[in-house]
Amino acid sequence: MSTNEKRFPLSLASVVDQRGSAGKRSTAMPQTAVKNAANNVKPAQTFRSSDNRLTQTSPHPHQPTLPGVGMVSDKFRQAMVSRVAQQGVKDDLVLAALEAIPRHLFVESGLASQAYIDASLPIGHHQTISQPYIVARMTEILRNGKNLNKVLEIGTGCGYQAAVLSLVAKEVYSIERIKALHELAKTNLRPMRIANIRLHYGDGMLGLPQVAPFDGIILAAAGLEVPHALLDQLAVGGRLIAPVGGRHQVLQLIERVGQQEWNSTIMEQCHFVPLHQGVI
Ligand code: SAH
C-alpha cells in the first residue's frame, strides 16, 4: 500500500543532538516539564535546530525578529511549550515531545518564523498544520498517562503530529489522502530519521485493517461523525480522539470498553479542516 515502506524505518543518525551547553533547557518552562524532558527524551530523539530558516525577519507584528543564531529555535520552542502547559496540558511526556520536535521544519521557509506561535498555519492544498496546543491536548487525551503501542493518525498533512506521536508511542501509522501532502510529509520526516513512523497514502476513513487493532487513533480532520471502520479498528481498552462537526466542532473522545461497546465523551471546542472521502 505505502510506497514509502522501503524508506522506513530510517536511522536516527542524522538527528542526534549532542546537547552541549548550548542545548540546556530554559528556566522559563514549568519545572515538571523540564525534569521530564531531561528524563524522557533521549539524546537520540532530539533534533538539531540549527536551521537557518529561522534567520528571517518575521512579517508577524507580535513575533520578534529572529536573529541568525542556530539554537534560537530552541528558545522559541521552549516558550511555545510553556504556553501549551499554561493552557492546561499537563502530560510531561507530551510536553517533552513538543519540545523535541522542530516544528519550524514542518512549515515552508516563509512561515518558519511563525512556527512557534499558537496557531495553525497553511501547508498548501487548503490544509493546515494544527496549532501546537491542540496537537498536545489530543496527544495527552490519547495517551491518558499510559504507554501507547500502536497508534493510527488520520490526516498526516505535513507530518508534524506524526513526529510528536513518534515520541510517545512505539509504532505510528499515519494516512494522508492528498498525494502531494503524503510526499511532503515524507520529505519533512526523512531527514529526521524517525524509525517508528509508517506513512500511508490512502483514504483514512477506511483505516488500516491490515495493521489493526490500534490502541490509539487520532483524527486531524473533522467529519460529521467518526467513521465506523475506525471504531472497529480500535483495540478494546483503546482510545480514539477526533474533531467532530461542521461549522461548530468539538473534540470527541471514544473509548472502546468491550467488543461491541464504545463510550463517548465530548471534551472541548475545536476547529479543524474537513475530513473527506477518497484520495486525490
Ligand atoms: N496532522 C497534521 C494536520 C494536517 S491537516 C499536522 O500535524 O499538522 C488534516 C489533514 O487531513 C489534511 O492533510 C487532509 O488532507 C487530511 N485528510 C482529510 N480527510 C482525510 C482522509 N479521509 N484520509 C486521510 N487524510 C485525510
Side-chain angles (χ1 to χ4, degrees):
M1 182 171 188
S2 148
T3 51
N4 63 300
E5 279 183 342
K6 338 178 190 42
R7 297 191 176 95
F8 289 90
L10 300 166
S11 99
L12 277 164
S14 75
V15 290
V16 176
D17 176 353
Q18 297 304 330
R19 288 230 168 251
S21 57
K24 281 216 182 95
R25 292 175 192 280
S26 150
T27 48
M29 268 187 63
Q31 205 58 33
T32 49
V34 175
K35 231 168 58 197
N36 176 72
N39 292 339
N40 285 302
V41 179
K42 302 182 196 94
Q45 289 176 303
T46 57
F47 299 91
R48 201 182 294 284
S49 51
S50 52
D51 185 276
N52 62 10
R53 286 203 233 172
L54 277 181
T55 58
Q56 57 213 307
T57 306
S58 169
H60 195 280
H62 305 299
Q63 186 74 2
T65 300
L66 302 166
V69 180
M71 293 314 259
V72 75
S73 63
D74 278 359
K75 297 273 179 289
F76 282 90
R77 196 154 57 250
Q78 284 160 4
M80 176 191 83
V81 174
S82 292
R83 278 196 315 272
V84 167
Q86 277 159 21
Q87 286 170 287
V89 174
K90 295 184 179 68
D91 186 328
D92 289 344
L93 192 60
V94 173
L95 293 172
L98 235 65
E99 190 177 344
I101 301 297
R103 185 172 157 90
H104 63 283
L105 300 183
F106 289 85
V107 297
E108 63 178 67
S109 53
L111 292 173
S113 62
Q114 295 177 62
Y116 295 107
I117 63 174
D118 193 29
S120 56
L121 295 169
I123 54 172
H125 307 271
H126 308 292
Q127 306 303 321
T128 54
I129 178 174
S130 306
Q131 71 178 119
Y133 165 74
I134 204 77
V135 168
R137 182 75 184 119
M138 289 175 81
T139 309
E140 177 179 57
I141 293 169
L142 196 71
R143 218 174 81 74
N144 194 29
K146 299 191 184 116
N147 291 332
L148 290 167
N149 283 314
K150 219 163 29 175
V151 166
L152 174 65
E153 179 194 26
I154 310 305
T156 317
C158 61
Y160 176 68
Q161 170 89 70
V164 170
L165 287 170
S166 78
L167 295 182
V168 305
K170 259 196 192 143
E171 290 172 52
V172 179
Y173 294 82
S174 183
I175 313 176
E176 174 55 55
R177 69 180 287 271
I178 300 177
K179 182 79 174 167
L181 289 178
H182 168 71
E183 295 298 333
L184 174 71
K186 281 202 281 186
T187 304
N188 288 341
L189 289 167
R190 195 176 294 126
M192 293 175 197
R193 302 190 180 239
I194 302 172
N196 61 338
I197 300 180
R198 305 281 185 280
L199 299 181
H200 289 255
Y201 168 57
D203 182 355
M205 290 172 82
L206 307 174
L208 280 180
Q210 67 275 33
V211 184
F214 297 96
D215 57 351
I217 300 181
I218 185 166
L219 281 83
L224 295 179
E225 60 174 16
V226 173
H228 286 221
L230 300 181
L231 298 181
D232 286 336
Q233 291 175 30
L234 198 57
V236 174
R239 289 186 145 209
L240 178 151
I241 182 81
V244 175
R247 270 171 65 92
H248 298 286
Q249 300 172 6
V250 289
L251 271 190
Q252 187 177 6
L253 163 67
I254 296 178
E255 296 167 277
R256 188 170 192 175
V257 291
Q259 266 311 320
Q260 295 302 326
E261 207 183 331
W262 292 262
N263 286 345
S264 167
T265 313
I266 300 304
M267 306 301 288
E268 59 194 70
Q269 294 197 339
C270 60
H271 187 69
F272 277 80
V273 294
L275 187 69
H276 290 299
Q277 259 182 332
V279 295
I280 52 172

